[in-house]
Amino acid sequence: MYFDSRKLTDNVRRIKALCRQQGVTLAAVVKAGCGWTDVARAALDGDCDMLADSRLHNLEQLAHGGIDAATMLLRLPAPSQAEAVVRLCEISLNSEYDSIHALHAAAHRLGRKHRVLLMVELGDRREGVAAQQLPQLIERIKALPMIEVAGIGTNLGCLGGIRTTPEKLTELVELARASERQLGYPLQYVSGGNSGTLPLLLEGRLPAGINHIRVGFSMLLGRNPFTDEPLPGLHTDVFELEAELIEVQTKSSLPDGEIVLDAFGHVPVFEDLGDQVRGILSLGRLDTDLATLKAKDSGIEIIGASSDHLVLDMTSVRGAYAVGDKVRLVPGYGALVQAMLSPYVTKRPDLNAGWRRERGGLLRMVR
Ligand SMILES: *Cc1c(COP(=O)(O)O)cnc(C)c1O
């Protein structure tokens, strides 16, 4: 897998410029980087205000890798991990009093205050307290001297696929103002969501009062999460996968014989397209996610994959590729994360010095 740190830095810089115009703080969500320090460093080079990740494990990796930045834990902390949360993050997202109480106890033991961002559920039905329960949660937190409420936030578009709208974010701002009156101090952050908030920011429709967003998808892939269309000015090729052809042969598009369950428990269905030139790549479902993967060469279609074999239709590019040639693939979010996690996929370290830009913009390390 190739990673172009300069393109990521560029994307972050552009998103940050947009944020700055409207007084918004940017948390760069690096969870798809799975703890890879090069990704975090590139985001910091783009001048994001903090790094955010859903897993403590990743934040620990980044800290070990020498990344010294303000960090936010996105996934609600497990009470059993309270001490590590206080040690590793400046701010954690929370919705449960018991967890916040565990953080308070850990903060007390470690002698350092912990800051929480309270999550409010505004329709996506994933994490967060219902709006009418927020005052009660805040009232109980007021009795915890080692906990400071850094702000409130919401998350949309993840489980329920609910669109981020000015109406929903206005509700969040109103809740923030009420929370401030209750707490007796101003909230630093009103965190108005994820990449799904960027379209509002671009259109100038972000309600006043929203002053923080958490962006992963669009920074890494350069796309609008609702439409998958490229966002203006962002690179869509920060990451690229490359794999080698281990077979190129002409085969009938239809399997021959009695069809039973395939390797993944499904009954496969194939259309009769006559004979096809088919390539097999040394890559499979263990390494990536088929649903969000495309070949860079538009003449190549992905037919399917089993654990270790990815089968391509190369009919319209016949003759252009042979066994041993590399095929470039563009990963979407799922494909990217899966490739990051696969120990079989080599991650090319992004040492900008020592890299050579090839035709087509691919960066290759010179050894
Ligand atoms: C993953 C995550 C984000 C970032 O979402 P993107 O769609 O990648 O921008 C923001 N907030 C929370 C709570 C998350 O879990």
Side-chain angles (χ1 to χ4, degrees), residues 297-315:
D297 184 336
S298 60
I300 300 178
E301 291 290 332
I302 296 173
I303 293 173
S306 56
S307 302
D308 312 300
H309 299 76
L310 189 103
V311 180
L312 306 172
D313 179 1
M314 306 185 83
T315 311

Side-chain angles (χ1 to χ4, degrees), residues 29 31 54 74-75 93 119 126-127 154-155 158 193-196 214-218 225 333:
V29 176
K31 63 194 179 193
S54 48
L74 295 171
R75 188 168 67 183
L93 272 48
M119 293 302 276
R126 206 179 71 177
E127 77 274 44
T154 196
N155 196 64
C158 279
N194 49 38
S195 293
R214 316 174 302 272
V215 177
F217 179 95
S218 294
Y333 201 82

Side-chain angles (χ1 to χ4, degrees), residues 60-74:
E60 196 148 35
Q61 299 260 100
L62 295 180
H64 281 157
I67 300 290
D68 180 23
T71 53
M72 176 176 259
L73 180 66
L74 295 171

Side-chain angles (χ1 to χ4, degrees), residues 160-181:
I162 296 300
R163 182 189 286 275
T164 308
T165 59
E167 293 71 32
K168 292 207 181 272
L169 295 184
T170 300
E171 187 181 347
L172 187 69
V173 173
E174 284 162 5
L175 289 167
R177 298 292 92 91
S179 304
E180 287 173 333
R181 287 193 292 276

Side-chain angles (χ1 to χ4, degrees), residues 21-321:
Q21 281 171 11
Q22 305 191 39
V24 173
T25 299
L26 175 64
V29 176
V30 292
K31 63 194 179 193
C34 303
W36 198 11
T37 52
D38 290 356
V39 171
R41 200 161 280 127
L44 289 170
D45 286 347
D47 206 20
C48 64
D49 299 290
M50 61 184 77
L51 297 176
D53 203 298
S54 48
R55 292 176 188 259
L56 274 181
H57 180 266
N58 292 346
L59 290 173
E60 196 148 35
Q61 299 260 100
L62 295 180
H64 281 157
I67 300 290
D68 180 23
T71 53
M72 176 176 259
L73 180 66
L74 295 171
R75 188 168 67 183
L76 308 177
S80 62
Q81 293 185 313
E83 199 155 313
V85 174
V86 173
R87 253 192 311 108
L88 287 165
C89 329
E90 273 67 39
I91 300 181
S92 60
L93 272 48
N94 282 274
S95 67
E96 287 284 350
Y97 175 76
D98 288 349
S99 304
I100 297 169
H101 189 266
L103 291 169
H104 177 260
H108 198 73
R109 278 196 301 279
L110 294 169
R112 62 197 262 190
K113 282 198 174 190
H114 184 68
R115 309 183 74 208
V116 295
L117 190 96
L118 302 178
M119 293 302 276
V120 187
E121 208 290 297
L122 292 179
D124 201 52
R125 305 291 185 245
R126 206 179 71 177
E127 77 274 44
V129 294
Q132 61 273 24
Q133 279 161 10
L134 184 62
Q136 196 187 339
L137 178 63
I138 288 180
E139 210 46 46
R140 296 179 80 189
I141 295 172
K142 277 168 77 176
L144 305 176
M146 298 301 278
I147 296 292
E148 184 188 316
V149 181
I152 69 171
T154 196
N155 196 64
L156 295 159
C158 279
L159 184 68
I162 296 300
R163 182 189 286 275
T164 308
T165 59
E167 293 71 32
K168 292 207 181 272
L169 295 184
T170 300
E171 187 181 347
L172 187 69
V173 173
E174 284 162 5
L175 289 167
R177 298 292 92 91
S179 304
E180 287 173 333
R181 287 193 292 276
Q182 195 185 347
L183 282 163
Y185 58 84
L187 295 177
Q188 187 175 8
Y189 300 124
V190 184
S191 188
N194 49 38
S195 293
T197 310
L198 278 180
L200 293 184
L201 199 58
L202 274 165
E203 296 159 10
R205 293 167 66 221
L206 192 73
I210 298 292
N211 67 3
H212 182 274
I213 55 171
R214 316 174 302 272
V215 177
F217 179 95
S218 294
M219 143 187 120
L220 299 168
L221 300 178
R223 293 177 182 274
N224 179 328
F226 299 140
T227 61
D228 213 40
E229 290 300 311
L231 283 171
L234 298 189
H235 300 284
T236 55
D237 55 353
V238 172
F239 295 92
E240 208 168 278
L241 265 171
E242 189 184 75
E244 190 169 343
L245 283 163
I246 53 173
E247 184 187 288
V248 181
Q249 295 193 14
T250 299
K251 299 185 186 186
S252 165
S253 52
L254 281 182
D256 179 25
E258 188 186 344
I259 291 189
V260 289
L261 295 180
D262 70 10
F264 294 87
H266 303 118
V267 178
V269 180
F270 287 94
E271 199 186 335
D272 187 359
L273 300 167
D275 279 356
Q276 290 178 316
V277 178
R278 286 188 168 195
I280 301 180
L281 290 177
S282 57
L283 194 74
R285 290 194 193 224
L286 295 194
D287 311 299
T288 192
D289 162 52
L290 286 188
T292 56
L293 188 70
K294 279 203 278 277
K296 188 156 190 177
D297 184 336
S298 60
I300 300 178
E301 291 290 332
I302 296 173
I303 293 173
S306 56
S307 302
D308 312 300
H309 299 76
L310 189 103
V311 180
L312 306 172
D313 179 1
M314 306 185 83
T315 311
S316 63
V317 292
R318 80 173 65 228
Y321 293 84

